[in-house]
Amino acid sequence: MAAVQSSAQVAPGNATPRNIKKRSQCNGQPCKKRKIQHKPVKEGSAEEVLLVDIRHLLATQKLEEAPAEDTEDQNAPQTPANLPEPFTEIEVTVNELSSTGDGLALSSNSDHVYVVPFTAPGDTVTTKVIKHFPNEHYTLADFVRVKKPSPQRDDSLIRCPYFASCSGCQFQMLSYKDQLAHKKTIIEKAYRNFSGLAPELIPSIGPTIGSPLQYGYRTKLTPHFDGPPGSHSRKDRRDGVNKKVFEEVPPIGFMKKGIRKTIDIEDCPIGTDAVRLGMKRERKRVAEEIGKYKRGATLLLRESTKRIPNEEGADASSKPSTKEAPSPTIIDNQETLITTQSTYTTHKTCITDSNATSTEYIDSYIFTNPAGAFFQNNNSILPIFTDYIRSHILPPPPSNYTSSITPQKPLKYLVDAYSGSGLFSLTLSPLFTSTTGIDISASSISSATHNARLNSLSDKCTFLAAADASVLFSQITYPVDETVVIIDPPRKGCDKAFLNQLVGYAPRRVVYVSCNVHTQARDVGWLVGGEGDRKGLYEMESLRGFDFFPQTGHVEGVAILRRKEGDVKLGEEKESSDV
């Protein structure tokens, strides 16, 4: 944090920084002051989620401790003079974990919150004050050391020497049981705070489904290094100064928590064995070729898998075990990790070219993609994840399901919006007569079409490229009473144009998959609760979390929605194209 601290030196015994009134000089003349523009907080962003958690903690504490008549005074923001000086160390006790993964610690008088990463509820820690937000009643702080660990904290579980410095993981000191319990809480709070739905409209949330691998699961990592010092100086570019060159190998790794600084990290234990092997190889290559680089770069490390059927009658027991990391073998000039199952042998390699083709297997399904394109990064949980959706995408038996007097038509069609390379279209295809995947990315549609051919599903799965998200459903002709729509949007969630299309089409069931349960809660709230004079068209049937990223604060949400009975007349349906 030295770079941040040096911008405002503090005089001993004085709460005012020495240079706070000093005007910077530009070519001997006072520089013009730049207006600081505060960006609005984005919906569903980590900042918004953190603010909501802070306000809830403060409100809960005031209800428990403060007399009603004192509430107004306690709502007044603290002034910086009442708060500890930036970059001083203080001791706090963590009250709870926020949904961002940071610890929240109340001040001694319970009217201010210190946000401290890498902590567990009940920890007493030494922390360094970084930045105050007095109007919002909180302060960002750095973790320094544990003074007194809570019962939940077990530092013997930590596997990475960079934990509590690297921004990648937050929970390595927590048992996996506690991580999963916290992620269930994240979903509960997301729907309580962001959906706008009454509690009775939100189903009971089941336990978070864990990842079979808690380490060694990430099939993609993107370490990076910054450009040479001064290479990004605007003044140098303006003055035509020659570009700087690297005088030594820069740190290659990931961002330090809370500051734009890259930490040199030679290994990452959440990466798969193939990815970790590739990371060592790429670090060595960059060190040898650093003179060729004029600026920073991001490195791609993507695992790729090849399955080779075993010969009939081959003795798999005499081949490498899948329980231990195998030693690499050089095949076609690539370091390859070979393991053998009962019916096939796997060859795993690490791809570093974003335009090369990577291959993944989910059960017996094969998926190929450009290595730099999006695909789920935890292969170990995908069979469990897709099986769960297969088991819940169709209605439960009538005895456990509120049904109308008129028998429901069988669900025969699937629309996979935001289809990507066809993950859901292909793995859910056995349940449906026909599936249509839609995406605005032409390259994703190309990959999905190729994957349908690889899996001999071209006759059941069709993929369409939409010009933009506002016309995703324009080519769908399936009858709505026989159709399920599954959506898996980016972190920002769905926009109103898409949601209006979805409601206009009105499929009988909707499966909403999301890597951001806060924007998911917002969108589901709109579909279920309506807006203004428009009543909600759907009701929630189930909600469950999946832990795609152990050791981190991220959780994947799967919400199953069913259309309310009687809200769509059969005469309003589109006719089927008889596929």
Side-chain angles (χ1 to χ4, degrees), residues 237-262:
R237 290 199 296 270
R238 185 173 62 247
D239 296 344
V241 175
N242 291 334
K243 290 184 177 180
K244 303 289 173 54
V245 296
F246 286 102
E247 297 179 357
E248 59 183 5
V249 179
I252 305 170
F254 305 101
M255 298 299 291
K256 181 177 174 65
K257 176 68 174 177
I259 186 172
R260 294 190 62 81
K261 179 182 178 181
T262 303

Side-chain angles (χ1 to χ4, degrees), residues 106-153:
L106 283 163
S107 61
S108 57
N109 57 359
S110 301
D111 63 355
H112 197 80
V113 173
Y114 292 92
V115 181
V116 190
F118 312 116
T119 54
D123 278 348
T124 298
V125 298
T126 300
T127 185
K128 181 186 286 186
V129 173
I130 300 300
K131 187 175 182 180
H132 297 303
F133 296 85
N135 290 335
E136 298 292 350
H137 297 271
Y138 79 97
T139 293
L140 295 179
D142 271 353
F143 171 84
V144 177
R145 70 183 71 88
V146 178
K147 190 82 172 178
K148 181 181 178 183
S150 76
Q152 280 188 265
R153 187 181 193 95

Side-chain angles (χ1 to χ4, degrees), residues 419-447:
S419 64
S421 58
L423 172 64
F424 297 123
S425 296
L426 302 185
T427 58
L428 299 174
S429 61
L431 301 176
F432 299 96
T433 302
S434 177
T435 295
T436 298
I438 316 170
D439 204 287
I440 61 174
S441 168
S443 61
S444 293
I445 294 300
S446 177
S447 293

Side-chain angles (χ1 to χ4, degrees), residues 303-316:
E303 180 180 276
S304 184
T305 302
K306 181 180 181 181
R307 282 185 182 176
I308 302 171
N310 293 334
E311 294 180 9
E312 187 175 354
D315 182 8

Side-chain angles (χ1 to χ4, degrees), residues 200-258:
E200 60 270 19
L201 298 179
I202 303 170
S204 176
I205 301 169
T208 303
I209 296 175
S211 170
L213 298 176
Q214 289 92 59
Y215 284 91
Y217 64 83
R218 278 201 70 122
T219 55
K220 179 184 177 183
L221 288 174
T222 52
H224 66 274
F225 59 91
D226 301 321
S231 62
H232 296 294
S233 167
R234 293 180 181 179
K235 183 177 184 302
D236 283 352
R237 290 199 296 270
R238 185 173 62 247
D239 296 344
V241 175
N242 291 334
K243 290 184 177 180
K244 303 289 173 54
V245 296
F246 286 102
E247 297 179 357
E248 59 183 5
V249 179
I252 305 170
F254 305 101
M255 298 299 291
K256 181 177 174 65
K257 176 68 174 177

Side-chain angles (χ1 to χ4, degrees), residues 459-531:
D459 58 332
K460 293 187 68 173
C461 300
T462 303
F463 295 93
L464 305 173
D468 58 70
S470 64
V471 293
L472 280 178
F473 289 96
S474 62
Q475 301 177 66
I476 301 299
T477 58
Y478 299 151
V480 294
D481 265 7
E482 300 172 49
T483 301
V484 182
V485 170
I486 186 167
I487 57 178
D488 185 8
R491 289 190 63 80
K492 66 180 180 180
C494 304
D495 59 24
K496 282 292 180 66
F498 175 85
L499 293 175
N500 278 319
Q501 286 182 80
L502 181 61
V503 169
Y505 179 58
R508 193 163 119 213
R509 290 174 71 81
V510 174
V511 178
Y512 192 138
V513 178
S514 178
C515 60
N516 184 341
V517 293
H518 302 93
T519 53
Q520 180 194 54
R522 176 201 66 200
D523 296 345
V524 169
W526 193 89
L527 293 169
V528 172
E531 184 180 53

